[in-house]
Amino acid sequence: MDKNLGSFSDKYPYMLLGDDSLADINSKIANKNYTPLSFRPNIMMKSKSGKAWAEDEWVGEIHIGDAIFAPASPCARW
């Protein structure tokens, strides 16, 4: 039995959002100041490249401490 069940998620139990991606959104939409709460990510990160949307291009594994994540697909949670 699979015990890795999530509820109230769009597709997957975890969503990662880059700080640079959030800054990119805010730079393109006038009179708005979106925060992480606007998109409800489980994990916020800062990419080494400083490139917005870098997280959409990641493949393989993401290691955060002892946890290992596998990127699945971009999320349309907006």
Side-chain angles (χ1 to χ4, degrees), residues 15 17-19 22 26 33-44 77:
M15 180 185 160
L17 177 63
D19 290 333
L22 184 59
N26 283 318
N33 184 26
Y34 291 102
T35 70
L37 292 176
S38 304
F39 302 97
R40 304 179 320 277
N42 305 91
I43 302 167
M44 287 292 299
R77 189 185 288 179

Side-chain angles (χ1 to χ4, degrees), residues 1-60:
M1 178 183 197
D2 185 0
K3 295 188 182 210
N4 295 317
L5 301 175
S7 60
F8 302 111
S9 57
D10 295 324
K11 282 187 177 181
Y12 302 101
Y14 299 100
M15 180 185 160
L16 182 143
L17 177 63
D19 290 333
D20 298 304
S21 302
L22 184 59
D24 184 57
I25 292 168
N26 283 318
S27 74
K28 293 179 177 176
I29 301 175
N31 303 318
K32 291 283 187 175
N33 184 26
Y34 291 102
T35 70
L37 292 176
S38 304
F39 302 97
R40 304 179 320 277
N42 305 91
I43 302 167
M44 287 292 299
M45 50 66 70
K46 178 81 172 157
S47 70
K48 288 183 180 181
S49 70
K51 177 183 171 190
W53 312 110
E55 64 272 23
D56 288 349
E57 299 170 0
W58 291 353
V59 296

